[in-house]
Each structure stands twice: as structure tokens, then as C-alpha cells.
């Protein structure tokens, strides 16, 4: 659906972009505005110098000395106009970078704080990609255009005054030339936003295939399964589809550009013909005609720039409106409090249910569970049973869609989400491998104080990550990963130990570990589970696992099936009960014996 931006809204967005750039670099913005004024003065000076030069040429008594003043003025004005253009280009490049930084800051402030349920929806990612491809670059362009309008407006007014002084009848014809351009610019802006809205999903799919073929994370599997040729075929197919849509959009814009250029050319020709007729009739002198031709040509150029800048603002309006709406309406977590909550009694789930956006079935149904300090609660079950979903709810990353959570008897709602998250530490199965130093992987903070370093070292020792640190040349300060210079990669088990240290370094009363031993060998897994009580000390621990060999160390084991807790008890109780847990345990134990 096409989106047209009303003139009042366009003016508001223009002012918003100007304020954004001005706040990013006040001094640079002032320099750019000054250059616009200086450029306007230089262009007007060219017309004045041209008029003086022609006056000398047609005078009865011509002496060489009389040419010096007008020619020097013409040379200075022309040189100044050329120099200002170059200076403006480079100054606007710097302002563009500053504006981009500010625009990215607005976008990232939302994407980094959006609630997880919203973030995981395809619609959210479509909108983010559209903003990244369009709206992020628009504040710089619209501010540059606004500066151009400032300079062009001053120039147009001064040149219009000069033309009016030479011949008042020329002015209306020249100004009418801008009307078609403004109307067509509004039409062009509507088609551009509609194109971006319609083709974002295709663009995202193509970008995903490109990432698969170019990023390190997928390189081994692409080669192992020999999928490169098929992925390249799909990339070409998606590119051809996207190009077809782009070609249609380009043709629309080309037609509109030709109509604008044609209307401007016709009106310019009419204006020049009027000048010729006025000279022929004696209404206008030759010198005045010469100055008028120069003024008309310069005024036409300035009107073109003015209208192009207006077109940029109008076209950008839809995208800036999109960014502004995204920032204002996307649900985000409130800022985290300085300190987390203590957990004295229990985190209790009562009748908790959860359904993912777009799903027709609940991922969790009527879950009741208490997690107490000093207690290890294991969540087990087959894939898709709801273990990880429940763990994320307990950690405050998802809000239940039904039922409630209570922290020490206090019911929680969406306003408590930030404090809830701050009071929990989480290790995910698909944890992030930051291409940073080992210490920064454990505690990503700008604080380099000694006490922070001591926390990192203690967490690394508790999680067993210090062995990896000792094997590296720079220890905890070693760069990890292969993306940057001097980066060193770790084994899967070492990375998991680092991620575990990241979960333990936060002094929180609740720790959630989602498959903490998935990359560990059996001996390392046993050591980890044996130390689990000393690791959490008096914290509450929720442990998600599909490996049962060491779950006898848990105080309670909750078995999930199709989003419900179907069994709850100790390892011994569940084995003796002969239910789901006992069957899964014996199947896994039998597999180990056979191997």
C-alpha cells in the first residue's frame, strides 16, 4: 500500500532530521549551513558580475581598465562558487556519518531491548531489515537536502529579485516550472515506499542465502553436504525475482524523471524565447538580456536543486515515519534496576501457559512449579516438550500468556520484567561465541576495575574455563575467534565452559542452565554435575537437560510432555515409579551400554 506523507508531516520529519544531525555535530552543522549561505552569495555575485561585464562591453567608450573590476569580481565569484561546492560535498559526508551514528543508535536501542517474544517474530525482522536498508540512511540525506534547500532558497530569492529587477514578467514563468516537479516527487515517494514494503521479505531471503555462503558458522556444513551449488542457484533465483521488481520500480522512476525534465526544459525554453522577443521589441537592453539569460540559467539550476532536495525529503518521509513509528511503538524492556532481587522463599509458576505468535497450539499448558534457593530443579523431556520455553519464562525472558509467576509470593507482571531478568543468569544451548577477549566473553563491561577482574577470574575457575585461559599466550586477555587478527578458537567444550562462566559471574539468586554439558565429554560432564551444588551455592538452579546420566544429583526432576509437567520428583522416586522418566532413563542407559 502506498504511503503519502502530508506536507505538515514532511516538515516535522525534516525538522526532526535537522535536529538529529545538529545534535550529532553542532559545529559541523553550523559550518555546513554557513557554506550554503556563502554559496548563495557567490552565485548571486556571478549574475552581478556578468551584468557589469556586459555593460562595459556595450558601452560607447570601452577601455581595458574598465574590464578589470567586473572580470575580477566574476572570477572571484566563480571560483568561490566552485570551491564552496567541493567543501559542501565533503562536509556533508562527515555529517552523513554523524547522522548515521545517531540513527543506528535509535534503532539499536529498540532492537537491543525488544521483548524476546516480539523479537522472534518474522514481521519484526522484516521491518528491521527494511529500516536498515532504507530509513537508517535517510536522516543524513534529508538533513543534507534541508541544507540544500536553505542554500537554494537564499539563492532563488536573490536571483528572483535580480530577474524581477531586470524584467518582472520573466519571474512567474520561471517559478511555475517547479510545480510539476513537486507533484511528481510526491508520486515518486509513494512508489518507493511501496516497493520497499513489498520486497523486503525477498531481500531478506536472498541475504540469508548470501550469509550461508560467506559466513564462517555455516562454511563447514556447506562443504560437508556439498550444498554450495544449490545455494548459489537459489541466490540467482532470488536475485532474478528481486531484480524483476526493482526493474519495474526503476522504470516508474525513469518515466517520472523524464516528465520532470521535459516540463522544466519546455518552461526554460519559453522563458528564453520571451527574453529574445523582449530584446527584439526594445523592451529589454542587450546587457539586461545577457544578465537575464545568466540569471535564468542559474535560477533554473538552483530550482532544480531545490526541487531535488524537496523530492528527497518527500521520498524519505515514508521511511522516516516508519523508523519513528518503530521506535515509538515497538515494545521494549524497561531499563534494568541497579540491583537484582533476593530470592528468599521461591519463584513459583502457577497455571502457566504460553503460545508463540502465529502458533495454533500452546507450547506450555497449566504448569505449576516452585524453584527454591539452594535447590537444583531439572527439566527433562523429549524434544519439543517445552523445556526451554519454561526455562525462558522462569528467567523472565518470556511473559506467560496465561497463569502467573510469583517471586517470594509477589505476583509478577510485564512491569517487573527488567528486575526479573536482572535477577537471573542464563546459559543457553545456542550460546553466543563473542569475537572478543576471553575475559570480555565472561563479563562484557566497560569497567576495568580490579574487583571486576577478580569476579571474572573467580567465575572462570568455578566454571572450569581457567584451563583454557592458561593454555593461551595472553591468558584471559586473549582474543577469541578467527574473525580478527590474533584470534584463537576454542574447542566446543572450552567455549561451553566460557559461556558457563558468563552465567555464573552475575551475582543472581537464580541460575538457568539450558543443556550446559551438550559439548562436554562424559568425564567432563560428570565433573560439571558433581560440582553443580558448589557452583550455585545458595542460589536456585534450573537445569534443562536431555542427558540423564548425572541427573541423580538434582533435588527435583520435572518431566515435561507436550507442554505439561507429567511427573515431578527425585531421581529415585521417578525411577521407582516406572513412568516416562524411568523409560527415557533406561533407553538412554541402554544406548550407552550398547555403545
Amino acid at each position: 500500500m502506498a504511503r503519502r506523507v502530508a506536507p505538515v508531516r514532511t516538515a516535522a520529519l525534516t525538522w526532526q532530521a535537522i535536529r538529529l544531525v545538529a545534535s550529532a555535530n553542532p559545529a559541523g552543522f553550523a559550518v555546513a549551513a554557513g557554506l550554503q549561505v556563502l554559496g548563495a552569495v557567490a552565485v548571486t555575485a556571478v549574475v552581478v558580475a556578468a551584468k557589469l561585464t556586459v555593460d562595459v562591453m556595450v558601452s560607447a567608450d570601452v577601455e581595458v581598465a574598465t574590464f578589470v573590476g567586473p572580470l575580477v569580481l566574476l572570477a572571484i565569484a566563480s571560483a568561490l562558487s566552485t570551491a564552496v561546492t567541493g567543501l559542501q560535498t565533503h562536509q556533508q559526508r562527515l555529517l552523513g556519518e554523524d547522522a548515521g551514528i545517531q540513527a543506528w543508535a535509535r534503532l539499536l536501542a529498540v532492537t537491543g531491548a525488544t521483548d524476546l517474544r516480539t523479537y522472534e517474530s518474522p514481521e519484526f525482522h522484516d521491518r528491521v531489515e527494511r529500516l536498515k536498508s532504507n530509513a537508517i540512511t535517510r536522516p543524513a540525506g534529508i538533513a543534507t537536502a534541508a541544507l540544500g534547500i536553505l542554500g537554494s532558497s537564499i539563492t532563488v530569492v536573490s536571483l528572483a529579485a535580480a530577474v524581477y529587477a531586470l524584467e518582472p514578467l520573466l519571474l512567474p514563468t520561471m517559478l511555475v516550472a517547479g510545480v510539476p516537479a513537486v507533484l511528481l516527487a510526491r508520486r515518486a515517494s509513494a512508489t518507493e515506499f511501496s516497493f520497499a514494503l513489498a520486497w523486503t521479505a525477498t531481500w531478506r531471503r536472498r541475504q540469508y542465502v548470501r550469509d550461508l555462503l560467506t559466513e564462517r558458522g555455516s562454511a563447514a556444513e556447506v562443504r560437508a553436504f556439498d550444498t554450495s551449488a544449490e545455494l548459489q542457484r537459489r541466490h540467482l533465483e532470488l536475485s532474478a525475482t528481486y531484480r524483476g521488481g526493482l526493474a519495474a520500480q526503476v522504470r516508474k522512476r525513469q518515466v517520472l524523471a523524464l516528465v520532470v525534465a521535459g516540463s522544466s526544459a519546455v518552461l526554460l525554453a519559453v522563458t528564453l524565447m520571451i527574453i529574445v522577443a523582449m530584446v527584439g521589441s526594445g523592451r529589454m537592453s542587450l546587457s539586461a538580456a545577457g544578465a537575464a539569460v545568466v540569471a535564468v540559467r542559474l535560477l533554473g539550476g538552483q530550482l532544480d536543486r531545490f526541487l531535488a532536495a524537496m523530492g528527497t525529503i518527500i521520498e524519505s518521509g515514508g521511511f522516516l515515519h516508519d523508523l519513528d513509528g518503530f521506535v515509538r511503538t515497538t515494545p521494549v524492556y524497561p531499563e534494568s534496576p541497579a540491583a537484582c532481587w533476593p530470592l528468599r522463599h521461591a519463584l513459583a509458576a502457577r497455571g502457566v501457559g504460553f503460545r508463540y505468535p502465529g502458533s495454533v497450539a500452546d507450547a506450555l499448558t497449566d504448569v505449576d512449579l516452585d524453584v527454591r534457593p539452594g535447590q537444583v530443579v531439572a527439566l527433562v523431556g523429549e524434544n519439543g516438550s517445552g523445556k526451554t520455553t519454561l526455562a525462558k519464562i522462569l528467567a523472565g525472558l518470556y511473559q506467560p500468556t496465561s497463569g502467573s509467576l510469583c517471586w517470594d509470593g509477589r505476583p509478577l507482571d510485564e512491569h517487573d520484567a527488567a528486575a526479573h531478568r536482572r535477577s537471573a543468569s542464563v546459559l543457553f544451548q545456542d550460546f553466543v561465541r563473542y569475537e572478543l577477549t576471553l575475559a570480555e566473553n565472561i563479563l562484557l563491561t566497560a569497567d576495568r576495575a580490579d574487583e571486576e577482574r577478580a569476579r571474572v577470574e573467580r567465575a572462570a575457575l568455578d566454571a572450569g574455563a581457567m584451563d583454557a585461559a592458561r593454555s593461551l599466550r595472553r591468558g584471559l586477555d586473549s582474543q577469541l575467534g578467527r574473525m580478527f587478527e590474533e584470534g584463537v578458537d576454542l574447542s566446543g567444550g572450552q567455549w561451553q565452559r566460557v559461556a558457563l562462566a558468563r552465567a555464573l559471574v552475575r551475582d543472581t539468586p537464580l541460575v538457568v542452565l539450558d543443556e550446559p554439558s551438550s559439548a562436554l565429554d562424559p568425564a567432563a560432564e560428570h565433573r560439571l554435575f558433581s560440582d553443580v551444588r558448589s557452583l550455585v551455592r545458595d542460589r536456585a538452579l534450573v537445569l534443562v537437560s536431555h542427558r540423564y546420566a548425572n541427573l541423580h544429583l538434582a533435588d527435583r526432576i520435572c518431566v515435561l510432555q507436550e507442554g505439561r509437567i507429567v511427573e515431578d520428583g527425585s531421581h529415585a522416586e521417578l525411577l521407582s515409579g516406572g513412568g516416562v522418566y524411568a523409560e527415557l532413563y533406561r533407553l538412554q542407559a541402554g544406548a550407552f551400554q550398547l555403545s
Side-chain angles (χ1 to χ4, degrees):
M1 179 179 175
R3 176 178 294 180
R4 294 174 183 259
V5 182
V8 173
R9 184 61 179 162
T10 300
L13 292 169
T14 302
W15 178 240
Q16 176 185 334
I18 290 174
R19 285 191 293 108
L20 184 148
V21 178
S23 64
N25 186 348
F29 187 83
V31 169
L35 288 172
Q36 294 290 345
V37 175
L38 187 59
V41 171
V43 170
T44 306
V46 168
V47 176
V48 173
K51 173 68 166 60
L52 294 175
T53 302
V54 176
D55 282 341
V56 172
M57 291 175 63
V58 299
S59 64
D61 185 17
V62 180
E63 295 182 4
V64 175
T66 58
F67 280 99
V68 175
L71 290 177
V72 168
L73 177 60
L74 182 61
I76 292 174
S78 298
L80 184 60
S81 179
T82 302
V84 166
T85 300
L87 292 172
Q88 286 171 339
T89 299
H90 296 295
Q91 185 67 18
Q92 288 168 0
R93 178 184 178 187
L94 182 60
L95 287 175
E97 177 64 19
D98 293 329
I101 292 171
Q102 290 286 340
W104 269 109
R106 292 188 72 201
L107 179 65
L108 296 179
V110 174
T111 59
T114 304
D115 69 86
L116 194 60
R117 189 169 181 265
T118 300
Y119 186 88
E120 291 176 342
S121 67
E123 294 82 3
F124 178 85
H125 285 281
D126 279 349
R127 193 169 187 184
V128 169
E129 287 300 330
R130 185 169 67 249
L131 292 172
K132 286 164 60 178
S133 302
N134 294 283
I136 287 299
T137 62
R138 300 288 171 160
I142 199 171
T144 298
L147 286 168
I149 287 175
L150 171 63
S152 295
S153 297
I154 296 172
T155 306
V156 166
V157 169
S158 60
L159 288 176
V163 170
Y164 185 83
L166 293 169
E167 177 49 62
L169 293 178
L170 293 176
L171 192 58
T173 306
M174 297 174 61
L175 296 179
V176 168
V179 175
V182 172
L183 296 177
L184 292 170
R186 293 195 66 192
R187 172 60 184 163
S189 71
T191 65
E192 197 65 34
F193 188 82
S194 296
F195 169 76
L197 201 63
W199 289 92
T200 298
T202 302
W203 190 93
R204 275 188 63 214
R205 288 181 183 277
R206 183 178 68 170
Q207 189 60 43
Y208 173 70
V209 174
R210 285 178 176 175
D211 291 343
L212 289 176
L213 287 165
T214 57
E215 293 187 351
R216 186 171 180 266
S218 54
E221 186 157 322
V222 166
R223 285 153 180 78
F225 289 93
D226 197 22
T227 57
S228 177
E230 172 61 17
L231 290 172
Q232 290 180 57
R233 185 195 67 77
R234 294 190 182 194
H235 176 261
L236 289 175
E237 184 178 274
L238 288 166
S239 294
T241 302
Y242 181 80
R243 190 193 181 283
L246 179 62
Q249 173 64 10
V250 167
R251 284 192 293 271
K252 291 179 185 176
R253 297 301 300 267
Q254 287 174 334
V255 170
L256 292 172
L258 287 174
V259 173
V260 171
S263 63
S264 298
V266 169
L267 289 168
L268 177 61
V270 170
T271 303
L272 294 176
M273 289 174 64
I274 292 173
I275 292 174
V276 171
M278 287 181 174
V279 172
S281 66
R283 181 184 175 93
M284 183 179 289
S285 67
L286 188 60
S287 62
V293 169
V294 173
V296 166
R297 190 66 195 94
L298 290 174
L299 183 56
Q302 290 299 320
L303 281 172
D304 287 343
R305 294 188 184 92
F306 178 88
L307 295 171
M310 282 298 301
T312 298
I313 290 174
I314 293 171
E315 180 179 314
S316 300
F319 295 105
L320 288 180
H321 185 70
D322 198 19
L323 175 60
D324 189 55
F326 177 79
V327 171
R328 286 187 295 101
T329 62
T330 301
V332 298
Y333 294 129
E335 293 185 5
S336 298
C340 66
W341 293 330
L343 183 63
R344 297 184 177 89
H345 304 294
L347 171 62
R350 293 292 179 264
V352 164
F354 185 82
R355 178 176 295 189
Y356 287 96
S359 177
V360 296
D362 289 338
L364 292 174
T365 304
D366 199 25
V367 171
D368 290 331
L369 176 64
D370 289 347
V371 181
R372 302 183 184 279
Q375 187 179 64
V376 178
V377 177
L379 305 179
V380 301
E382 297 179 343
N383 291 337
S385 61
K387 304 186 299 295
T388 296
T389 301
L390 178 56
K392 288 180 177 179
I393 288 176
L394 295 174
L397 296 170
Y398 288 156
Q399 295 295 304
T401 52
S402 62
S404 64
L405 288 179
C406 293
W407 188 284
D408 284 342
R410 176 180 181 272
L412 304 181
D413 57 28
E414 63 273 12
H415 302 295
D416 300 311
H420 186 178
R421 291 195 322 277
R422 179 63 184 84
S423 303
S425 296
V426 187
L427 166 61
F428 296 107
Q429 183 177 2
D430 53 348
F431 58 85
V432 178
R433 304 183 182 197
Y434 293 102
E435 301 273 343
L436 303 170
T437 68
L438 198 160
E440 289 168 335
N441 264 273
I442 296 174
L443 183 61
L444 187 56
T445 175
D447 191 346
R448 305 298 181 188
D450 291 340
E451 57 268 22
E452 295 297 289
R453 183 71 171 194
R455 288 176 59 202
V456 170
E457 292 174 352
R458 184 170 62 252
L461 282 170
D462 288 344
M466 193 57 81
D467 291 340
R470 294 191 183 103
S471 68
L472 302 176
R473 185 170 62 86
R474 298 188 62 189
L476 288 169
D477 295 316
S478 299
Q479 171 72 39
L480 299 186
R482 296 292 187 184
M483 183 178 294
F484 302 110
E485 188 176 358
E486 298 184 358
V488 179
D489 209 356
L490 302 178
S491 68
Q494 288 174 321
W495 271 113
Q496 195 147 31
R497 289 285 187 174
V498 172
L500 178 59
R502 184 160 62 241
L504 297 177
V505 75
R506 285 163 53 100
D507 188 17
T508 60
L510 174 65
V511 178
V512 178
L513 305 181
D514 187 359
E515 304 289 0
S517 60
S518 60
L520 301 180
D521 57 57
E525 179 186 14
H526 180 73
R527 288 195 299 272
L528 173 63
F529 277 82
S530 297
D531 293 339
V532 72
R533 289 192 180 278
S534 63
L535 288 175
V536 298
R537 299 178 179 89
D538 57 350
R539 305 181 188 184
L541 173 65
V542 176
L543 176 66
V544 178
S545 182
H546 68 278
R547 294 161 71 166
Y548 302 117
N550 297 290
L551 289 184
H552 61 278
L553 297 171
D555 297 292
R556 292 175 59 200
I557 300 171
C558 296
V559 183
L560 281 90
Q561 194 172 55
E562 297 181 350
R564 298 176 181 271
I565 294 180
V566 295
E567 295 179 7
D568 182 358
S570 68
H571 173 75
E573 290 170 345
L574 295 180
L575 277 185
S576 63
V580 176
Y581 178 81
E583 180 182 356
L584 292 173
Y585 181 85
R586 292 188 180 109
L587 284 173
Q588 196 169 100
F592 275 109
Q593 291 172 359
L594 289 173
S595 61

